[in-house]
Amino acid sequence: MDTLSADGSLDLLLQTLAHGFDSGCTRLQLWVDDDRGLHPRVCFGPKADLADRALARQCCLRALLQVDASRAVLPVSLGDRRIGALLVELPGAIDPTVLQVLQDWIAANHTVLDQALADERFAHLSGGARRAEALRHALAAALALETTDSLQGAFATLHTALRALMRAENFFVVLLDETREWLHFEYYCDEFDQISSWAPVRFLDGRLQGLLSAIVVASGRVLRGHTEELLEQAGHGDTAADLQFGPNASDWIGVPMLIGKEAIGALVVQDYIPGFRYDDADPGILSLLAEACAAALQRRRVQQTLERTVAERTAALEASLQRLHAAQQQLVEAEKQAALGRLVAGIAHEINTPLGICVTAASHLGEATDHFGRQLGTSLRRSDLDRLLTISRDSSQLLASNLRRMVALVDRFAQIAAAVDADRIGVLPLSEWLNRWIATQQPRVRAAGHQLLGRIQPDLVAPIPPEVLNDVLGELLDNTLQHALPTEATATHSLRVELGAETVDGQIELHFDDDGRGLPIADTRMLFDPFYTTARPRGQMGLGLHRIHILLTQVLGGTIRAEARPGGGSRFLVRVPSS
């Protein structure tokens, strides 16, 4: 197979791929689209033709697989503003398994391909183009400091790129911490001093002891020259025994990394070859890289500061939320205790009256019986017997009626307890069930001179026990008939069940509306409290709405709210899960 201008590593890599096809590979090309346009970097088999170019162009433009009979072109992920395309031609039609093999190969080798193509391109550059490309790589390495996970690794990459621009065998980076107290040797590479890392130096101590990099950071200007001469100019003797470990450098360049007029660190190169001098352009190149490093590091510090601020505020908010939850829990517990107290007081009040009447009736009956017994031993008259019979009859009636009242009260609480333990059932065809319920309630509603209307959205379903729903709707209807219209006027009771504008998170809403006298604001807040009723003189205990509140919240996992309707009337809004 013919090979066109390919780097050795690329040539070997693609030869291995070409030889991996059992049926043989008639054409294998690697195309690259970069600042030089679309061109083949590696080409095995016949030379690339216009059809190959068209397929490669479409693949690069769309970054999508292109298949044409026996040829397939797959996109190759490349960095540095480049994209690639791998073209393969086989003797027969392209099989899907072949495409999968090619995709797996590209995924496993795209990093190697990217680096080999970059090295091959750089090797073919010369003169100003080569220097410009090297400078671009160095600037990209400097800007990468903003997002890198390892500053030392990023500076090592910068060092590698710098070597393509100037002699930089000895290169190190110093950074000031944000308090400007400590100077850190973030990266250090020296042919004499084989030290992976230096301990931080106090910034002030470094300047006083003649650490040249500290002097560069303190002055914010470029220093260049023989290290011995630079130390003498700074008013220091040779301090090789203290802070320098190798011989004096023949030429030393230190440039500050400036943010505004304040230095946050410095880049330093030095060389020990006697008589060696850096090129006059080298300080400018190093300064350009120092500016890029400073900007990237400043953005990194700002981002880190923001992240710390966010983390601190998040922690503070979480602590406040925990305190709020604790306070909320305390309020809930306090409300539970208060509700329990109201419930106990209500039970005591409701039972105390009939129980007191029973005690009084029994006592009165006992006194009458004792009196009758004393009369038996003396002179018993017909009037005494009539009096005993009257007292016995009245007392029995009082005892029976009040005992029934207490039994009804206890039965109500038994129903509430049983409802809390009720089991859920499967899905209920809600729309059909509600229509049937409305039909069964019509006779008694019409007999009372009222109307019951239904506007039911079709095809509603929900996992609701029908007996629970029957209790809830029955209690709401009874409550409306008893409380909405104290006069003989006709009221319209409208039951609406729908999923739509008033649906919240997929919940089913039941609106039970009436156009009666409405509810006072105070009533809407207390309506579901146990024993709260405005019809106690008519014998109401005030447990009906409390019971359906428990059914809806504890059995169905829903909510109920009472509100006054605009223009008069009241509304009960019930929400239950739809699944």
Side-chain angles (χ1 to χ4, degrees):
M1 293 183 182
D2 297 330
T3 304
L4 299 179
S5 61
D7 178 80
S9 59
L10 281 173
D11 182 56
L12 180 60
L13 191 62
L14 270 77
Q15 274 187 1
T16 303
L17 175 62
H19 294 156
F21 294 101
D22 296 334
S23 59
C25 178
T26 58
R27 193 190 302 258
L28 183 62
Q29 300 165 6
L30 179 61
W31 292 76
V32 177
D33 193 2
D34 57 15
D35 57 347
R36 294 192 295 169
L38 180 67
H39 53 283
R41 287 289 182 88
V42 179
C43 184
F44 294 104
K47 290 185 178 181
D49 55 26
L50 292 178
D52 295 337
R53 176 176 290 276
L55 281 173
R57 169 64 65 192
Q58 289 298 317
C59 182
C60 290
L61 285 175
R62 300 178 182 178
L64 293 174
L65 168 69
Q66 303 293 315
V67 179
D68 179 16
S70 61
R71 287 180 298 185
V73 189
L74 296 89
V76 179
S77 174
L78 300 175
D80 198 19
R81 300 174 297 176
R82 298 171 302 148
I83 188 169
L86 181 67
L87 184 149
V88 177
E89 183 176 23
L90 299 177
I94 298 294
D95 188 88
T97 57
V98 173
L99 294 177
Q100 187 61 53
V101 169
L102 290 171
Q103 288 171 344
D104 293 344
W105 183 87
I106 291 173
N109 294 279
H110 78 275
T111 302
V112 176
L113 283 172
D114 191 19
Q115 187 60 50
L117 287 167
D119 293 345
E120 186 264 344
R121 182 178 186 277
F122 189 74
H124 284 78
L125 297 176
S126 62
R130 184 183 182 90
R131 192 167 181 81
E133 185 72 8
L135 182 59
R136 191 172 67 82
H137 280 293
L139 287 172
L143 295 176
L145 293 169
E146 179 181 352
T147 56
T148 184
D149 293 331
S150 170
L151 281 180
Q152 189 174 45
F155 280 124
T157 302
L158 175 62
H159 187 194
T160 300
L162 184 61
R163 283 173 170 162
L165 291 167
M166 58 190 295
R167 180 174 171 79
E169 299 304 315
N170 308 293
F171 171 72
F172 65 92
V173 182
V174 294
L175 292 178
L176 263 181
D177 61 13
E178 294 186 37
T179 63
R180 301 187 67 81
E181 182 178 359
W182 292 91
L183 196 66
H184 298 261
F185 288 80
E186 200 66 47
Y187 176 79
Y188 194 89
C189 182
D190 191 274
E191 58 188 302
F192 282 98
D193 302 327
Q194 302 297 326
I195 300 175
S196 58
S197 63
W198 275 13
V201 176
R202 284 193 178 274
F203 185 34
L204 179 60
D205 293 344
R207 284 180 287 162
L208 294 177
Q209 296 174 18
L211 184 63
L212 290 178
S213 56
I215 295 172
V216 170
V217 175
S219 64
R221 63 185 183 88
V222 178
L223 283 184
R224 178 185 178 183
H226 193 285
T227 52
E228 187 174 357
E229 295 173 354
L230 293 175
L231 287 169
E232 289 177 357
Q233 292 171 10
H236 297 279
D238 188 355
T239 57
D242 298 323
L243 293 176
Q244 290 184 356
F245 297 95
N248 288 319
S250 300
D251 205 3
W252 190 96
I253 303 176
V255 297
M257 291 187 281
L258 295 171
I259 298 296
K261 295 183 179 180
E262 190 173 76
I264 63 170
L267 303 182
V268 177
V269 293
Q270 58 186 347
D271 204 282
Y272 300 105
I273 298 176
F276 173 83
R277 295 286 292 173
Y278 285 105
D279 189 272
D280 290 341
D282 291 343
I285 292 173
L286 207 59
S287 295
L288 182 63
L289 294 177
E291 291 176 7
C293 289
L297 289 171
Q298 178 66 5
R299 289 192 295 271
R300 180 186 182 89
R301 287 183 177 181
V302 169
Q303 180 65 26
Q304 290 175 340
T305 300
L306 288 174
E307 290 174 354
R308 284 198 301 270
T309 301
V310 170
E312 290 169 359
R313 291 183 179 178
T314 301
L317 287 173
E318 288 178 350
S320 298
L321 189 60
Q322 290 177 355
R323 290 194 295 271
L324 180 61
H325 284 165
Q328 188 179 38
Q329 188 62 32
Q330 291 176 355
L331 289 175
V332 169
E333 292 299 325
E335 178 60 26
K336 285 182 179 179
Q337 293 299 323
L340 180 61
R342 291 193 299 269
L343 182 63
V344 171
I347 294 173
H349 174 76
E350 290 295 327
I351 291 181
N352 187 60
T353 299
L355 190 60
I357 293 174
C358 288
V359 170
T360 301
S363 177
H364 185 51
L365 179 61
E367 291 175 356
T369 303
D370 291 342
H371 178 73
F372 184 79
R374 288 193 299 272
Q375 291 296 107
L376 284 176
T378 57
S379 58
L380 182 64
R381 294 171 297 180
R382 178 60 184 263
S383 60
D384 294 328
L385 182 59
D386 291 340
R387 178 174 177 272
L388 176 62
L389 291 174
T390 300
I391 292 175
S392 298
R393 182 173 56 252
D394 293 344
S395 298
S396 298
Q397 291 175 350
L398 283 174
L399 285 169
S401 62
N402 283 278
L403 285 173
R404 282 195 297 270
R405 185 176 176 184
M406 286 189 289
V407 168
L409 181 65
V410 172
D411 185 59
R412 279 282 189 169
F413 281 104
Q415 291 176 4
I416 292 174
V420 172
D421 295 330
D423 293 329
R424 302 294 295 272
I425 64 163
V427 175
L428 174 72
L430 190 59
S431 300
E432 179 184 345
W433 189 93
L434 288 172
N435 284 314
R436 286 202 308 268
W437 184 86
I438 291 173
T440 61
Q441 302 299 319
Q442 290 287 9
R444 74 183 184 106
V445 175
R446 288 174 180 169
H450 306 309
Q451 298 180 59
L452 179 60
L453 306 177
R455 289 176 295 198
I456 312 300
Q457 179 181 327
D459 301 324
L460 287 177
V461 294
I464 302 175
E467 64 275 9
V468 174
L469 188 57
N470 184 69
D471 284 351
V472 169
L473 296 180
E475 191 66 52
L476 288 176
L477 183 59
D478 290 343
N479 181 79
T480 300
L481 295 175
Q482 293 168 6
H483 298 283
L485 296 172
T487 66
E488 296 302 322
T490 300
T492 299
H493 304 282
S494 176
L495 176 66
R496 182 181 64 188
V497 182
E498 64 183 8
L499 279 174
E502 294 177 289
T503 298
V504 179
D505 296 330
Q507 290 184 317
I508 294 177
E509 294 186 346
L510 292 87
H511 299 264
F512 202 105
D513 304 340
D514 69 68
D515 57 0
R517 61 176 178 172
L519 293 169
I521 295 177
D523 282 357
T524 62
R525 293 193 299 264
M526 304 169 60
L527 205 56
F528 302 104
D529 288 352
F531 301 108
Y532 177 79
T533 180
T534 57
R536 196 173 301 279
R538 299 201 299 267
Q540 299 298 318
M541 289 186 293
L543 286 174
L545 292 182
H546 175 65
R547 177 170 172 268
I548 69 170
H549 181 270
I550 292 177
L551 289 173
L552 287 167
T553 58
Q554 298 190 29
V555 177
L556 300 183
T559 61
I560 183 170
R561 186 175 77 246
E563 56 188 32
R565 291 179 62 196
S570 61
R571 162 177 290 182
F572 287 90
L573 175 62
V574 175
R575 289 185 180 143
V576 292
S578 61
S579 60

